[in-house]
Amino acid sequence: QVQLVESGGGVVQPGRSLRLSCAASRFTFSSYGMHWVRQAPGKGLEWVAHIWYDGSNKYYADSVKGRFTISRDNSQNTLFLQMNSLRVEDTAVYYCARDERTYCSGGSCLFDNWGQGTLVTVSS
Amino acid sequence: QSVLTQPPSASGTPGQRVTISCSGSSSNIGSNTINWYRQLPGTAPKLLIYSNNQRPSGVPDRFSGSKSGTSASLAISGLQSEDEADYYCAVWDDSLNGPVFGGGTKLTVL
């Protein structure tokens, strides 16, 4: 059974940085595209970023473009999200999610497995 | 505000059939396949329906999906108390060049 375990969340002041990790196991991590999806308290889901299976391409939501960087280490089966210049509105539970394919292409993105999430609180 | 519109709430009694709608546009639902996710209270979302009307292994046939034009629907028949959850539609948006979610529908079993 696919396992995704996020870590790195916490309380941080506006303007500061935080790095999230997602440890993957029980599947061939290097064969799947990966995503970060977030959920603000009491709100709905928002896609944040996507990275191809080999790390060669990365895509971001407009709300985080230029501030967040998605990356992966296939040798360590780990996905990362570097979050810089954090804002109060970035407060959310951040989920890592596996795509059903090597990458999410135009027309179809399918999040077939999700981690349990890690809470990021941006507050002064 | 999401580009996909879902009713914020829905309800039904045990055994009843309920439907949840998801309305979009030609740049998303009108041209791409839709997926549905269920989020039980305090847990992570889970894939419920993919490619408009396909069920992953383990999802009972009480759950079904459909799409017509720029709208889609999730139907749940034989409603059970454990179906109380938030339900989200999701689809690729050609204009935004990325996936988008609906605002979510909270289903209450009365």
Side-chain angles (χ1 to χ4, degrees), chain A residues 39 95 104 107 109-111 114-115, chain B residues 32 35 37 39 44-45 88 92 99:
Chain A
Q39 186 172 33
Y95 297 100
C104 167
C109 261
L110 186 64
F111 312 106
W114 300 64
Chain B
N32 299 301
N35 308 309
Y37 299 88
Q39 186 176 32
Y88 294 89
W92 181 273

